[in-house]
Amino acid sequence: RKESSAASDVYKRQDLRMVNINGVSRREGDLVTDLLLLVEITEVGVVLNYEDYSFLVDILEDWQNDP
């Protein structure tokens, strides 16, 4: 499938990785709030850091979408 291949190629290129958080496009290293850092965008979610505590937000299980 070309779609999967293209998505995988984009994921492999760190300079192209982006995620939308609260309506704002973010990249690795961006501050989401004053204390919340977007550490890494992974294939399954994002790694965030809050006051030196890192955690994974799984986009399939933990992500909330307001209607």
Side-chain angles (χ1 to χ4, degrees):
R1 291 173 47 182
K2 282 192 169 189
E3 279 181 36
S4 296
S5 177
S8 179
D9 290 344
V10 168
Y11 170 75
K12 290 177 186 175
R13 291 201 42 201
Q14 287 183 325
D15 60 323
L16 296 178
R17 292 184 200 170
M18 294 181 69
V19 64
N20 187 304
I21 300 175
N22 295 334
V24 179
S25 294
R26 307 279 185 179
R27 294 185 183 273
E28 293 175 348
D30 285 354
L31 282 173
V32 178
T33 68
D34 290 339
L35 300 173
L36 186 64
L37 174 68
L38 173 56
V39 176
E40 183 180 3
I41 300 169
T42 72
E43 290 183 273
V44 297
V46 295
V47 177
L48 300 170
N49 183 288
Y50 179 78
E51 295 188 342
D52 294 326
Y53 174 73
S54 292
F55 55 96
L56 173 70
V57 178
D58 185 315
I59 59 171
L60 298 177
E61 294 182 18
D62 300 329
W63 213 260
Q64 294 196 12
N65 187 13
D66 293 333

